[in-house]
Amino acid sequence: APAFEGGLSQATMYLDKFGYLSPKIRNPTSGHIIDESLFRKAVAEFQSFAGLNTTGELDEETKKVMAMPRCGVRDKVGFGESRAKR
Amino acid sequence: YALQGSRWRIKNLTYRIAKYPSRLNHADVDLELAKAFSVWSDYTDLTFTQKRSGQVHIEIRFETGEHGDGDPFDGPGGTLAHAYFPVYGGDAHFDDAETWTINSKRGTNLFQVAAHEFGHSLGLSHSDVRSALMAPFYRGYDPAFQLDQDDVQGIQALYGRKTQTDIGGGSAPAPAPNTPRPSAEDPALCADPKFDTIFNGADGSTFIFKGENYWRLTEDGVASGYPRLISRAWPGLPGNIDAAFTYKNGKTYFFKGSKYWRYNGQKMDGDYPKDISEGFSGIPDNLDAALVWSGNGKIYFYKGSKFWRFDPTKRPPVKATYPKPISNWEGIPDNIDAALQYTNGYTYFFKGGSYWRFNDRAFSVDTDNPAFPRSTAFWWLGCS
């Protein structure tokens, strides 16, 4: 089964996991995104990084790239996270 | 390429495969992972030695699901592996639920993924150059795999260039007794050590341009056999260039007056010159200097007492808050001749016969002995 089926919440998780969502734009209690424009900005940043058209829309091309097997290291760093080694 | 911000302070590193993949022969894995390390040692002076026990720098494990670091694997597909940057220990973990394969189109190629992960172990972040090994996506088995120029630049920004060339196997032949020394002093250049521009080529070589001539720099000064004519090495390019840089796409841009030229290596990359106002909207003509800062991949242009930051991925590429005063770069003078981020990661500014080394962390000119500014002739051009 494909790891990425393309739903909005899965895209949110993907963008979060790979460093495109700042903790500021997630609701601290639900974890949901609280500002759609910031979600679009995160999608656009991912598209720019992946060499796609930067529309901010979660289009088919973007979902296709999100479904590709990949490295688990974040693309973007700097949101204050610093994973301890163990 | 992008640098995470940490690197190993030593060049002789050790590794251990603490947990092998469940479906591959151990000896084959040893060989593939050694090959994956050699991708990086081919272009630097790094060495990697496998140990079977005891303390090592880089520990390698094939694990499934949650494996103790809070970043669980997700089964076949999705995330294939992850690795830690030097500051976090450099370890590399691979998802053992993947079908790891060797020299096969089926499954996931162990060598390619390992070479990518070891890039992280050495301090490289993900690159936005699609063809780079350090791009985050797995694009399938490539039987003719070669490290991209972007990756070469990245690793050499961290660890410098290989001092003995043995890329492609075998070591370089010993120089014949009458081979010219790799570095030579150029009396005319030493007498007037001011130059027009300095930049790194896509292969990591550093060049200085002055009038119609150019020199390649070595660790000790200028390479022997120089100066050479700019017009012969870069056909179509005029002399008296104002500024130059090589971007992370491996292309070199030259600026003079109101025009710019783009070269792929030493071949003009299309129909040039073009107007600076066309290709670099927001950047003025008659520049003093330009550089690409690897910390953020942005291009900095300098003219008179001002600088501009150019981000090709943004619209507009220059924010309305620019230009800003060069005095923001504490200790750097106005009206500089040239600027460069060298392969050691430091940023250098040149003016007259002097240069300043800028410390990106302190955001000011380094305090050192001898103090900056220092003599360009002595420290860069090998003049006695």
Side-chain angles (χ1 to χ4, degrees):
Chain A
F4 186 87
E5 285 155 5
L8 196 63
S9 62
Q10 211 176 0
T12 307
M13 282 165 59
Y14 184 99
L15 294 168
D16 188 28
K17 179 173 168 67
F18 296 112
Y20 294 90
L21 289 180
S22 149
K24 274 190 290 190
I25 69 171
R26 288 193 298 274
N27 183 319
T29 49
S30 70
H32 291 149
I33 299 218
I34 50 180
D35 186 331
E36 195 199 328
S37 70
L38 291 174
F39 174 75
R40 291 173 63 91
K41 191 168 168 257
V43 172
E45 270 190 42
F46 171 75
Q47 289 168 328
S48 166
F49 190 83
L52 304 170
N53 287 334
T54 50
T55 59
E57 300 283 344
L58 191 61
D59 52 28
E60 286 310 311
E61 195 61 31
T62 306
K63 288 180 190 174
K64 212 165 116 185
V65 176
M66 285 181 170
M68 287 173 79
R70 59 161 292 157
C71 171
V73 174
R74 281 169 175 246
D75 300 332
K76 302 266 175 185
V77 290
F79 289 138
E81 87 289 353
S82 57
R83 285 192 301 190
K85 182 174 171 185
R86 291 187 180 87
Chain B
Y1 64 87
L3 309 181
Q4 177 267 336
S6 66
R7 67 181 176 93
W8 296 96
R9 297 282 159 196
I10 55 164
K11 294 203 171 165
N12 302 317
L13 298 169
T14 56
Y15 67 95
R16 184 163 76 94
I17 306 170
K19 196 169 173 191
Y20 280 81
S22 44
R23 290 181 291 272
L24 284 176
N25 172 288
H26 287 202
D28 290 344
V29 174
D30 287 348
L31 205 62
E32 288 305 291
L33 296 191
K35 244 173 69 186
F37 277 116
S38 74
V39 160
W40 302 110
S41 56
D42 274 349
Y43 289 90
T44 60
D45 281 340
L46 291 167
T47 68
F48 301 98
T49 306
Q50 183 176 5
K51 286 177 75 177
R52 303 282 173 193
S53 60
Q55 290 271 340
V56 290
H57 298 105
I58 298 168
E59 188 181 88
I60 299 159
R61 307 181 73 88
F62 289 77
E63 301 275 8
T64 53
E66 173 54 53
H67 52 279
D69 63 5
D71 199 359
F73 284 130
D74 54 4
T79 297
L80 305 173
H82 56 228
Y84 292 88
F85 297 116
V87 68
Y88 303 125
D91 292 357
H93 299 163
F94 298 81
D95 188 349
D96 199 30
E98 306 296 339
T99 307
W100 296 109
T101 54
I102 296 168
N103 297 331
S104 169
K105 278 185 179 173
R106 291 185 187 162
T108 307
N109 184 259
L110 175 61
F111 158 72
Q112 285 171 219
V113 174
H116 173 103
E117 295 308 325
F118 298 155
H120 291 313
S121 302
L122 296 172
L124 293 174
S125 285
H126 284 149
S127 169
D128 62 2
V129 174
R130 268 186 191 221
S131 55
L133 173 66
M134 292 314 295
F137 308 105
Y138 177 71
R139 292 176 193 278
Y141 172 54
D142 177 4
F145 171 84
Q146 267 199 317
L147 204 53
D148 194 88
Q149 204 49 240
D150 178 70
D151 304 304
V152 174
Q153 286 173 30
I155 201 68
Q156 291 183 340
L158 289 170
Y159 300 100
R161 274 184 284 159
K162 196 170 186 66
T163 50
Q164 185 193 354
T165 307
D166 62 355
I167 294 167
S171 45
N178 61 351
T179 302
R181 289 188 308 123
S183 292
E185 190 172 320
D186 183 319
L189 187 62
C190 291
D192 180 15
K194 183 174 155 51
F195 45 79
D196 299 332
T197 189
I198 184 168
F199 67 99
N200 293 320
D203 67 350
S205 300
T206 305
F207 297 99
I208 57 169
F209 278 20
K210 179 172 181 161
E212 305 297 326
N213 295 319
Y214 77 99
W215 291 256
R216 185 171 63 79
L217 297 188
T218 69
E219 285 297 310
D220 307 312
V222 293
S224 62
Y226 291 82
R228 295 180 185 173
L229 279 173
I230 293 169
S231 57
R232 290 188 70 174
W234 285 271
L237 190 65
N240 299 301
I241 290 292
D242 293 334
F245 62 81
T246 299
Y247 194 55
K248 52 188 183 174
N249 58 7
K251 302 197 174 178
T252 306
Y253 296 76
F254 297 96
F255 298 80
K256 180 179 179 176
S258 61
K259 305 285 184 193
Y260 78 98
W261 291 254
R262 189 175 76 191
Y263 280 73
N264 195 351
Q266 283 165 300
K267 195 171 164 221
M268 202 183 285
D269 193 32
D271 194 17
Y272 287 90
K274 291 181 179 169
D275 287 336
I276 293 176
S277 57
E278 181 192 339
F280 291 87
S281 168
I283 301 300
D285 297 344
N286 301 307
L287 291 160
D288 289 340
L291 63 84
V292 179
W293 190 54
S294 65
N296 58 11
K298 294 179 174 59
I299 305 160
Y300 290 78
F301 291 94
Y302 303 84
K303 180 180 177 178
S305 60
K306 297 189 168 66
F307 76 97
W308 290 252
R309 193 180 73 176
F310 188 92
D311 183 347
T313 66
K314 297 274 163 52
R315 290 289 170 271
V318 179
K319 279 188 181 174
T321 49
Y322 287 87
K324 292 183 178 178
I326 288 182
S327 55
N328 284 8
W329 299 66
E330 196 183 321
I332 302 300
D334 294 344
N335 301 303
I336 57 171
D337 293 333
L340 168 82
Q341 186 167 41
Y342 193 51
T343 49
N344 60 7
Y346 284 107
T347 310
Y348 294 88
F349 294 88
F350 299 83
K351 182 178 177 176
S354 301
Y355 77 96
W356 290 256
R357 188 177 76 202
F358 195 77
N359 185 325
D360 297 336
R361 294 206 175 124
F363 222 75
S364 63
V365 169
D366 260 339
T367 49
D368 211 335
N369 186 21
F372 292 98
R374 289 184 189 170
S375 157
T376 304
F378 183 77
W379 293 96
W380 285 82
L381 308 178
C383 305
S384 50

